[in-house]
Structures are given as structure tokens and as C-alpha cells.
Amino acid sequence: DGGITQSPKYLFRKEGQNVTLSCEQNLNHDAMYWYRQDPGQGLRLIYYSQIVNDFQKGDIAEGYSVSREKKESFPLTVTSAQKNPTAFYLCASTESGGRNQPQHFGDGTRLSIL
Amino acid sequence: AQTVTQSQPEMSVQEAETVTLSCTYDTSESDYYLFWYKQPPSRQMILVIRQEAYKQQNATENRFSVNFQKAAKSFSLKISDSQLGDAAMYFCAYRRFRDALNFGKGTSLLVTP
């Protein structure tokens, strides 16, 4: 079955450490997104990519970085510059161009600070 | 930037009853799309219903329907014959430029027997 796979499900970060969250999709979607979810805040956009080797900052990109070397993969790195990384992170994808196409979501990664 | 407002942090409904969740949004665009997503305790994001702004007819999916008032920039979700499995966080979302979704802060729905 097609879908989005996020790993790991749980991740712990030490002070000063960079960590990478994986997101893989086999839906052949062009566009991919990273959202952060905090209690009472809804989902906020971190980065998105409409095509391979291209990506744009979202509303809260500071302290994060991404790459899009392959269509199916869009990893998110939480750098040591992100001072409050504890949150639930969701990856999503959609067919590019069709605004009414829904975004498909992965099951998420919960990141905590040790 | 477009804002999406869900004014009800929590709502409660009895099983088999009907409940309406509110959503308003702010935009200067005329062509856009609106969505309701459900997030149960498993934290999966599940699409409930979507509405194209150019369509006057309100979208319906089984027990779920919307009341889309374009002039008022309102997009409420009505759940009929509520079931225990409907208990979840519900997020209203607006599809903005370049296809990123802009979410409201959510409404937590409790369904009581």
C-alpha cells in the first residue's frame, strides 16, 4: 500500500546535538512538507518542497534544515540552534499543482530533549 | 498570511446527537480550498471533508457536512449522529499559495455515551 513512513517514532536529543527525522513516501507525490505540532498550537509549517533539489522555508524554519535529493525522501534535521525542539513532527505529501488534493500524513515523530 | 481561527477549544456532544464545529479564516484570495482534518489519540491526521471555494454547494461525506459561507469567510463542520469514534481533535485548514496548508489551533471533541 502507498503511504508515508516517518522514523523513528520517538527520538531523544541531547543538548548541542543535531538529529535527523526521516520521511519517505511511495505515493509518487511531488510536494512534501514538514509540520511541527505543539499543544494548543495546531500544526505549523517548517519547510516544504515542491520538487527535487528545491525547498522553501515555512513559518518556523529557524533551527531546522532539510534536503530533497530524491523525490520520495524529505529528511528534516533539527539543529542545536533550535532551542525548544520538544514537539510532535508530522511529514506530509501531496500531488503538486492541484490545490484540492488533500495532504497525506505520516504517523509522526515525537522529539524530546534528554 | 492567512489566518484560520477555531474559536472553540473544546466541545462535547452526546452519542447520536449533532454537533457543529466553527471555523473562520482570513484571506484576500478568491480561489482556495478548505479542509477539515481529524486527529484521534493515535495522532494520525485523517481527512474528513474538503470544500472548493468556487463551489456554492456545501460538501457532504456521510455523517459529515460543512456550512460554507464565502462572504462571511466561515467554514463550519457538522457531525450528525455522533459516534464514540468521532472523539478527536478537529483541525480546520486553508490551502494557501504553493499548496501548504494553514491550520487552525483545533477543537477537541468529546463524545459521551
Side-chain angles (χ1 to χ4, degrees), chain A residues 9 31 33 35 37-38 40-45 48 50 54 56 58-59 88 90 94-107 110, chain B residues 1 29 31-35 37 39 42-47 50-52 54-55 89 91 94-106:
Chain A
K9 193 174 180 67
Y33 310 83
Y35 295 92
Q37 186 176 22
D38 296 282
Q41 290 291 327
L43 278 72
R44 293 182 290 169
L45 182 66
Y48 63 101
Q50 297 287 331
D54 186 46
Q56 287 77 38
D59 300 318
F88 187 64
L90 283 160
T94 190
E95 293 181 27
S96 187
R99 287 192 178 183
N100 65 334
Q101 295 300 319
Q103 290 192 355
H104 298 258
F105 286 85
D107 289 340
R110 176 169 292 283
Chain B
E29 299 180 17
D31 181 24
Y32 51 88
Y33 295 84
L34 298 163
F35 302 84
Y37 279 87
Q39 189 180 43
S42 66
R43 307 206 73 169
Q44 278 185 305
M45 291 292 285
I46 302 165
L47 177 68
R50 53 182 151 173
Q51 173 79 42
E52 292 88 346
Y54 66 86
K55 288 187 177 179
M89 283 291 291
F91 292 98
Y94 169 99
R95 170 89 81 193
R96 66 182 190 184
F97 179 65
R98 299 299 298 274
D99 294 335
L101 286 168
N102 198 16
F103 287 90
K105 293 187 176 182

